[in-house]
Amino acid sequence: MKRSKPWKNAGNIFQSLEPRTLALAGLLAWSAAGAVEKPNIILINCDDLGYGDLGCCGAQDIRTPQLDRMAAEGTRLTDFSVTSALCTPSRAALMTGKYPGRVGLAAGVLRPDATNGLAGCEATLAEVLKPAGYVTGCIGKWHLGFVQGMRPMDQGFDSYYGVLHNLDKFETICFEQEGGMPVLRGNVVEKRPAVPAEMTGLYTAEALKFIEANRGRPFFLYLGHAMPHLPFDASAKFKGKSGRGLFGDVVEELDDSTGQILDKLRALGLAEKTLVIFTSDNGPERNTPGSAKPFHGGKHTVFEGGLRMPCLVWWPGHVPAGRVCDEFMATLDFLPTFARFAGTPLPAQVDGFDQLDVLLGRPGAKSPRTTLYSLYGFGQHRFESMREGRWKLHLGAPPKLFDLGSDLGEATDVAAQHPDGVQRLQALAEHIRGELKDRAPTGATR
Ligand code: MG
């Protein structure tokens, strides 16, 4: 049963929230800094796309001219992280601005038989933007709950099109008796089975339709691509074209998709009115051609290769063009940043920070983020890290400390030289752990 969301039907959302949830200081700062234009927002979240898979981030064997142009016309973040190198927890943090443990989704990915997921009482990006008049659309992979009360249209989205789950064999097997993995429109099956090679094209067409249909009013579109998660595949137009085999073809199709979206915005005169963000939910899968260069590790780890994401931010005339920004940010920060556009008070216990001044390149703006806690897995396969600025501690016995300022590849353990730093980061992690739920996963697997 879905629990009520106090701000959803309230005439005065300020009255409906606890005083401590109002983030009053943030709102006052917002007023003092001057209101910003309320843009449309498109958040493109790829699946298992690594830092080293884009031309603008260093890839030599995959051509991404549209994303390279997006970076040249906007800002590319070099120190942007997810909280967890796994689909469900990463998306939980992105969608709520909270550590996944705070919403009970820290451990494992949800399989189709899962009855847990993102609780209806949690505020999503869509629910933070809706009170400000945004039309909200969700296209693509959700992976935050599949039962009534947890699906996109139960969580603040006005429309949904896509596959709620992964397309790998662990999930498709659950739908074999029904004719294959369903593609939903709203909560109704529109097509089955979902075909991996078709997904980027289908999602792109839906995104273009959504933009066209809502051109006259503020909109928020969350586009969760299925690719390049296993089983990755590309449409015929892109197959055999890249220098990195089928994986590269898939990324080149994602590049083309993003180009079509930006071209649509330009054609409709919406470019200067639309903030577009392109990123990924976690680093590359093991034993695939995905690249996390120059970082070590990938998905299923707490190394930077799993956590550090490509992130392009585009809003012509507002977000500086041609800028490479090394301020420390995380997916947790989207919700507070978007809330500022909407003038919406923050939900309680948000772990993100408003990064708007940094993204807009305002003079002297610095990221308020100094720390990030990361967790992957559970049981024997539990890995944790705690970052504070340039320092990153891999918790465990013994703990290992890395200086990202000089060692992005996390190759040289300097714990012995910095015992005070180890203690400080352990204490930070312990404090955050103490705040987070660490529920036993239900219907979840590593
Ligand atoms: Mg993923």
Side-chain angles (χ1 to χ4, degrees), residues 46-49 85-88 90-91 141 166 229 280-283 299:
C46 298
D47 198 348
D48 297 8
L49 179 76
L86 195 66
C87 303
T88 294
S90 175
R91 285 150 199 270
K141 174 167 153 178
N166 282 338
H229 193 292
S280 176
D281 69 336
N282 52 251
K299 187 175 181 179

Side-chain angles (χ1 to χ4, degrees), residues 18-87:
E18 297 169 25
R20 69 193 182 95
T21 71
L22 291 177
L24 194 55
L27 287 175
L28 291 172
W30 176 73
S31 301
V36 290
E37 187 180 336
K38 185 167 63 182
N40 305 312
I41 301 171
I42 300 177
L43 176 54
I44 302 171
N45 194 23
C46 298
D47 198 348
D48 297 8
L49 179 76
Y51 191 94
D53 290 330
L54 304 185
C56 54
C57 295
Q60 299 287 320
D61 49 0
I62 299 178
R63 294 161 301 182
T64 55
Q66 301 299 334
L67 291 164
D68 299 350
R69 180 182 173 188
M70 183 180 176
E73 294 178 354
T75 292
R76 179 167 70 84
L77 305 182
T78 64
D79 196 355
F80 177 82
S81 289
V82 295
T83 58
S84 178
L86 195 66
C87 303

Side-chain angles (χ1 to χ4, degrees), residues 64 73 138 167 181 234 246 273 290 299 313 324 329 338 365 392 423 430-431:
T64 55
E73 294 178 354
C138 180
L167 292 166
M181 180 66 81
L246 180 59
K273 296 179 180 176
K299 187 175 181 179
V313 184
V324 176
M329 299 188 212
F338 294 177
K392 182 170 171 189
Q423 278 192 359
E430 201 55 49
H431 175 74

Side-chain angles (χ1 to χ4, degrees), residues 81-132:
S81 289
V82 295
T83 58
S84 178
L86 195 66
C87 303
T88 294
S90 175
R91 285 150 199 270
L94 173 142
M95 200 54 74
T96 65
K98 298 181 182 182
Y99 280 118
R102 215 182 271 291
V103 297
L105 292 172
V109 294
L110 299 177
R111 294 305 187 195
D113 60 346
T115 54
N116 63 324
L118 187 64
C121 61
E122 296 293 345
T124 65
L125 293 173
E127 285 163 324
V128 164
L129 291 169
K130 272 189 82 67

